[in-house]
Every structure is written in structure tokens, then in C-alpha cells.
Amino acid sequence: MTTLVDTKKLTMVQAVTDGMRVMMKEHENVIVLGEDVGQNGGVFRATDGLVAEFGENRVIDTPLAESGIIGTSIGLAMNGFKPIAEMQFLGFIYPAFNQIMTHASRIRARTLGHFTVPMVIRAPFGAGVRAPEIHSDSVEALFTGMPGMKVVVPSNPYDAKGMLVSAIEDPDPVLFLEPMRCYRSTKMDVPEGKYNVPLGKAARLQEGNDVTIFAYGAMIEVVMKAAKSAEEKGIKCDVIDLRTLYPLDKEMIAESVQKTGRAVIVHEAPGTGGLGETIMSLINDTSFLYMKAPIERVTGFDTPVPMFALEDHYLPSADRVVQAIEKVTQF
Amino acid sequence: MEKLFPKMQIINENGEWNDETYRGEITEELTKELYTKMLRSRLFDRKGVNLQRQGRIGTYVPFEGQEASQIGSAMAMGEGDWMFPTYRDHAATMTFGHSLKTLFLYWKGRQEGCTPPEGKNIFPPAVPIASQLLHATGAAWAEKLKGTDRASIVYFGDGATSEGDFHEGLNFASVFNAPVVFFNQNNGFAISVPIEKQMKSKTIAQKAVAYEMEGVRLDGNDVFAVYFHTRTAVERARKGEGPTLIEAVTWRYGAHTTADDPSKYRNQEESVNRRETTDPILRLERFMKNENMWDEKWAADLQESLTLEIEAAVKEMEEIQSPHYNDMFDHVFAENPWPIESQKEAYAHSRGDR
């Protein structure tokens, strides 16, 4: 039996807006706050139209103060609201780091569950859109290494809406990272109503037996291109979109590398301390005896993300990914 | 600015009337209640220092000298209101409902020390400086959005006013007209740094001007001044008239913590001499004697009963079972993600428990 679902062609940023709208309609305690989220609809228009629909008590333009946005959201969250706090860019989150690290992520643990802060922090991130300096940082590892936070990154409009719904329904704080490069790069059929894409579950984008490629966010487009080139050379890649960075989908990671015996991990964040190291240790723990070659990583460098004249050098390219694929298959 | 923000006082150092506005409300019953709460917290505090010296609890953070500020302000709060303390505000939180056992457990290193009694909105002590001002603002803002008349009170020291979160907290509360009372205890030092090096402004209360909110400076060693002026601020908040910044000027006799040596940076003789002039309990005792409310037998019985209560709380604290290590794993998220679950299982296995 086929169930017909009404869909709309949406970009990722429109899907994000739709996710918030659906949840705000369903739950009166869901509120959106941040800099310019009201009348302006957000610097990327992610909150466009919400203030007209839900009013200024639920879509709140705040003073320009990241720590203030997160700190007050903590108070709102533990007193009955579900705040969706927008950081204009992930690179602007640093003033709020103290609030997230010392309070949001650990209030549940500190109080044995008595106080909780079910909130979502949305932040566009990543390079490749020619943004000014600091705007392009990929510092997700600061948060995957923070006990008490879930960290998710959709790579397409469908996942963005479904994962945002799941993040809003999650009883714990979730950092919802939105790759700027994906905001308007594609349109996709997105169901009109509410649906969930579960957190903690990766997605297999392409089936192959020769090598597994792990990536997320804006790097998905890059690795898909690389996988196509590899296929032209007779190498079939299993491509896994991790989608949730904490907690990782251990089962799918292990299942895929145990099938292929080879892995290439791609992220634009710096290599040292990056998620790639966590994935490598996970493969070591679950699948060491299955491996036919050392694992390769293609990552950003341990440098600040450069100003955009150099960002193409900084970002992993499909060519670099193809070279890594060839290296593991020729080992 | 000091003239614009005079130090409000109801009774002076000698326990004599300075302002008789509230004379009708300062009954013997209220006076004895305040005295009892102050003595209770002082005995608790001294016990805390002793327990630390004996190695029976960890590092302890004393507050002797600040009892009037904490108790007078906490007394002004009502059922259902919110309290956001720092790690030094035990007199406030015990006045608002924390048990002595809970407070001792905090310094015993137990998570239970962060949990409030049923029905009491007491947040766990804020360790990062000034971060809690934003939580109080958020919680108060939530009450406003919900349409209640509940308010928040948040405690912080003079050093906290240098932090960005102090200013962000006041600004957000001001912009959103949140029903919150910012209660500063200005005891003159942020560990070793005196107020003169902390800020150039002469008062903390005057910082309210920048946020278009009420600023009140009061004698933080006069429990009546603290109680009545905080009560006014809370009433204003409940009526939707916005937040207030209160500066309670006080003095702490002891160290920042039991791990700290104040003789390195503070003249200890001054602290000893100040007992005559700034001690809030001595002041109230003098007032009660002036007003014929003092009874030696009542005072002796009170001392004895409070000592027994505190000893019982210590006993309870020491008799509590050791925590299970799973408490560490089981409250990070509502549902354990696999990394924590597998670490929990591996740890149990390493101990031979599974």
C-alpha cells in the first residue's frame, strides 16, 4: 500500500523554516530567539515569516549578545519553554561557549535529572560561501567533545526538516548545525506536515563494496562527486552520511567497514581533534580485523579557516578524496 | 553617584532606629525569626569550616558576616519564586527551603547537594561567575510569558559585575522587563582584588542607570533594610514594573574559601575590628536589647537547639550511603546514548560487577 503525502519542493533553509513552523504550530511552548530572527527573518531568512505567524512573544529579536541568548534560553528551557536559539554563525558562538559548556550541557547531570534544559541551538557553519573571516568555522568537535550535548548536521532539505523536528522533541540540548553551502544548493520534495528523521542514525547514500566514505554536511556533495569519479575507475564506494555527530551511528559505521575493509573519512574541520579521529577509534574498536588498509582522512587543516581567497585550498576537494580512495584501495 | 545611591539603613550599628518607616511591621516575632535564621546559618557556617579542617568535607566556602544580606533577601521571596544562588549563598538557600543536610552534602561532593526540595525552585549553585544572572532572567521571563506573578532572585558578588554576563543579564532583563531581582553582595573583595581595582564606579547600584532599571544601595548588614527593600523590589517585579539591581554592602570575615589565605592580601586586624561595627547578628542583638525583645534564656535555648539541629544534619550527611557510580552515567541525557552506555558497562565489568 502506498501512502500519498503532500510535498513541497524546498531548499534546505526553507525546510528548516518549515520544521520550526510545524513545531511552533503544534507546541505553544516552542519559541525562537536570536539576533535579527524577527522582522528580518534571520540573516539567512531561516526564520522568515515566523514572527508574522506567531507574534513577537514567540519569535524574539534579542539584544546582540550570544551568551545572553544562550543563558536566558537555559532559564526559559528549564522553566517550561522549548527555545530554539539561533546563532547567526557557528563562528559567533564562542562568547556563548561558557554557558553551553558549564550549564546547558550539564544541568541534568548536576541535578540528577531535577532540572533539564531541552533546547535547540541552531547555527549555520562551514566554508565555501565566500563569507568574511570567522564566519566559516567548522568547530563541531568543540561540542562533540562536550558531555551532555547532541550534535547533528543535516546535508539535505528532507533530513533538515525531519532532524530539526527530532531535535525540538529531544529532551536534551541539541546543537543543530546547518551547512551554509547546502542552504540553497538543491531543492527536494519535503513532506508538508510533521515527520521525524531520528537523531543518532546515519544514512547510506550509495551502496558499494570496495571502500567506505564517511562524511557529513557540505562534504556530502564533495564525496558524492569523488565516488562518481572512483566508480569510473572501477571502485565502488559505500557512502555514509553520518548526520548525527554525537552520538555516532556505531552500527552503520561498523557494518559498512566490515563489508568494505577500507575507509576514507572526510570533514572540513581541522584534522587534529576532529571527528575523524573518533571514527578511526570506533573502527579500531569494532572492526580492526576486517581492515585491509590503513584508514585515510581528508580534512581541513590545523589552521584558522583562511579568508576566502584561500578557502578552496583549505576545503577538502573531490580530487583529494579520490586520491585517498585510490590510496586505500591500492594499499 | 554615592549621593544618588545612599546606603539605605533602618537600624544602625548600635541597634538604634535610623528610619522608622517600617516600625509597625518590625514586630518581636519577625525580629526573632530573623535572628534565629541568622544564628542558624552562622552556626552552620562555622561547622562547615570545622568539618573541612577535620577533613570530613571538601573545600568549603564560608560566608560569615553576610548573613543579613542573604537572609533578609531570601525572606522577601514567596512560594513558587525562583532562586539562583552562587556557591556561597547557603544562608539564602536554607532560608528558602534547602535542608542543612543537602547543603553539607554539596561540600561532601555529592550531586544530591544540587537538588532542591520538592516544590522549591532553587537552582544549583553557579560556579562560573555571573553566568547565573542570565538563567534568572530567562526563568523570570518564562514566568512573564506564562502570565504568572512569580519572580526570580539571583545572587552574585562584586567581582561578578566585571563579567560580560552581568551586563547581558541586566540588559536582557531590562529589554524584556523580566521580573527579576539582581541581588549583589558587595563584600569588598573578589578573592584578593579589592573593589577599587575591580571597578572605577563608586557604587554597584549606579550601574542600574545604564539599564533604565531601579538601583538600590543598602546596608547589607542591616537585616531589616535588606528585607524591606528587597520586598519592595519583588513587589515591583510581580506588578510588571521590571527588574531591580540591589547592592548590599557587607563584609565577610573569613577567606574566599578554606583553600585560601586572606592574610596575604587583606588586613586581618580590620576584619576583627569590624565585628563591632558591621556584624549583622550583633547589631540585631543590640536592637533586641534596646527594644526589650532580648531574653537570655531564649537566646541560650536557641543556641542549644540550633547546635543540636546542625549536629543532626552532620550525622545525616555522614551516614548517607556512598553514591553508586551509575549516578555518574545515568543523568547526562534523558536516555543514555551508546557511548555512555558502553562506558558504563565496561566500567562495571572492570570492577567485576557484571
Side-chain angles (χ1 to χ4, degrees), chain B residues 35-47 60 63 66-68 70-71 90-92 94-95 100 281 306 310:
Chain B
Y35 184 87
T36 301
K37 285 182 173 6
M38 288 207 284
L39 185 63
R40 182 173 182 246
S41 66
R42 177 159 297 183
L43 295 174
F44 171 92
D45 191 55
R46 289 183 176 173
K47 190 70 188 180
Y60 178 76
F63 58 83
Q66 298 183 206
E67 294 91 345
Q70 294 189 25
I71 287 161
H90 303 326
M94 73 173 73
T95 301
L100 303 187
I281 297 182
L306 292 174
I310 289 162

Side-chain angles (χ1 to χ4, degrees), chain B residues 42-328:
Chain B
R42 177 159 297 183
L43 295 174
F44 171 92
D45 191 55
R46 289 183 176 173
K47 190 70 188 180
V49 173
N50 287 340
L51 289 172
Q52 189 280 330
R53 298 285 182 243
Q54 294 163 22
R56 292 159 72 185
I57 60 174
T59 300
Y60 178 76
V61 172
F63 58 83
E64 182 166 340
Q66 298 183 206
E67 294 91 345
S69 290
Q70 294 189 25
I71 287 161
S73 54
M75 279 279 284
M77 305 307 293
E79 287 290 322
D81 287 339
W82 289 83
M83 180 172 283
F84 294 82
T86 73
Y87 42 71
R88 196 187 301 286
D89 299 310
H90 303 326
T93 56
M94 73 173 73
T95 301
F96 202 51
H98 257 326
S99 70
L100 303 187
K101 174 190 166 189
T102 301
L103 295 170
F104 279 135
L105 282 173
Y106 184 78
W107 297 111
K108 185 77 176 164
R110 294 289 296 255
Q111 297 292 149
E112 291 87 343
C114 288
T115 61
E118 194 59 36
K120 291 286 180 184
N121 296 324
I122 306 175
F123 218 53
V127 177
I129 305 300
S131 53
Q132 73 279 13
L133 273 72
L134 286 158
H135 309 158
T137 300
W141 186 7
E143 295 294 352
K144 185 187 161 199
L145 290 171
K146 288 193 268 190
T148 77
D149 67 351
R150 292 175 171 181
S152 288
I153 188 166
V154 56
Y155 293 90
F156 54 101
D158 34 300
T161 63
S162 299
E163 291 270 9
D165 278 358
F166 166 80
H167 299 280
E168 295 187 27
L170 264 63
N171 190 43
F172 270 66
S174 169
V175 168
F176 296 109
N177 209 40
V180 55
V181 177
F182 296 101
F183 193 89
N184 169 257
Q185 293 169 81
N186 176 1
N187 64 30
F189 281 88
I191 304 189
S192 66
V193 177
I195 191 85
E196 300 78 25
K197 289 186 180 175
Q198 194 69 236
M199 61 188 206
K200 195 170 178 183
S201 55
K202 296 290 184 221
T203 74
I204 286 168
Q206 73 192 63
K207 294 171 192 282
V209 172
Y211 300 99
E212 197 71 26
M213 67 170 71
E214 286 291 320
V216 178
R217 190 163 200 252
L218 50 78
D219 185 336
N221 300 315
D222 171 3
V223 71
F224 293 126
V226 177
Y227 171 63
F228 287 107
H229 289 293
T230 309
R231 195 181 71 177
T232 301
V234 176
E235 284 167 358
R236 201 161 41 230
R238 288 197 206 292
K239 284 191 281 187
E241 294 171 8
T244 302
L245 171 62
I246 294 176
E247 174 188 4
V249 182
T250 184
W251 186 262
R252 187 182 66 245
Y253 300 118
H256 171 68
T257 74
T258 52
D260 176 49
D261 176 10
S263 67
K264 281 177 70 179
Y265 52 81
R266 208 168 81 177
N267 180 356
Q268 292 307 287
E269 209 173 305
E270 185 187 1
S271 232
V272 173
N273 293 338
R274 274 176 178 263
R275 288 219 180 243
E276 268 303 305
T277 54
T278 63
D279 192 292
I281 297 182
L282 185 59
R283 186 183 306 195
L284 198 60
E285 186 178 322
R286 286 171 175 161
F287 172 78
M288 291 170 79
K289 284 175 178 167
N290 292 343
E291 297 292 310
N292 293 320
M293 294 177 184
W294 187 256
D295 175 337
E296 289 295 341
K297 182 170 184 320
W298 173 80
D301 288 351
L302 183 65
Q303 179 101 17
E304 190 185 341
S305 69
L306 292 174
T307 304
L308 288 174
E309 184 195 1
I310 289 162
E311 288 303 329
V314 172
K315 191 161 180 281
E316 273 189 278
M317 176 266 286
E318 293 190 324
E319 283 178 356
I320 191 172
Q321 277 192 326
S322 294
H324 194 280
Y325 55 77
N326 279 349
D327 280 355
M328 177 171 63

Side-chain angles (χ1 to χ4, degrees), chain A residues 159-276:
Chain A
D159 283 355
K161 180 174 171 183
M163 288 168 69
L164 184 56
V165 167
S166 297
I168 294 167
E169 288 182 337
D170 198 278
D172 289 303
V174 179
L175 179 63
F176 192 86
L177 297 174
E178 298 163 9
M180 283 185 271
R181 271 172 81 177
C182 303
Y183 261 159
R184 293 184 174 86
S185 58
T186 51
K187 280 197 170 187
M188 190 183 257
D189 283 331
V190 174
E192 291 203 338
K194 181 184 156 190
Y195 65 93
N196 291 77
V197 173
L199 308 187
K201 296 289 177 197
R204 177 176 273 112
L205 303 183
Q206 180 177 303
E207 185 90 35
N209 292 323
D210 298 323
V211 56
T212 303
I213 310 178
F214 296 107
Y216 53 91
M219 287 298 103
I220 292 299
E221 187 192 343
V222 173
V223 302
M224 290 303 282
K225 198 171 162 193
K228 195 174 171 208
S229 298
E231 194 160 356
E232 286 163 7
K233 297 174 185 180
I235 305 166
K236 289 207 157 182
C237 299
D238 224 31
V239 180
I240 307 295
D241 179 356
L242 292 165
R243 298 199 294 195
T244 296
L245 309 188
Y246 190 92
L248 285 163
D249 186 344
K250 179 170 73 165
E251 279 75 26
M252 188 173 277
I253 292 170
E255 184 248 317
S256 179
V257 295
Q258 287 176 17
K259 176 179 71 175
T260 63
R262 300 179 182 89
V264 173
I265 304 163
V266 183
H267 57 67
E268 65 177 90
T272 298
L275 203 70

Side-chain angles (χ1 to χ4, degrees), chain A residues 60 63 65 67-68 71-72 75-76 78-79 81 99 102-103 108-112 114-115 148-149 171-172 247-248 250 282, chain B residues 82 84 111 114-116 122 124-125 128 131 134-135 138-139 142-143 145-146 165 168 171-172 176 331-334 337-338:
Chain A
I60 302 154
S67 185
T72 51
L76 287 158
M78 57 91 178
N79 195 6
F81 285 85
Q99 285 289 349
T102 62
H103 293 294
R108 180 188 287 278
R110 288 183 72 213
T111 63
L112 299 173
H114 192 94
F115 289 114
M149 285 296 292
D172 289 303
L248 285 163
K250 179 170 73 165
L282 188 55
Chain B
W82 289 83
F84 294 82
Q111 297 292 149
C114 288
T115 61
I122 306 175
S131 53
L134 286 158
H135 309 158
E143 295 294 352
L145 290 171
K146 288 193 268 190
D165 278 358
E168 295 187 27
N171 190 43
F172 270 66
F176 296 109
H331 301 282
V332 183
F333 293 95
W338 69 262

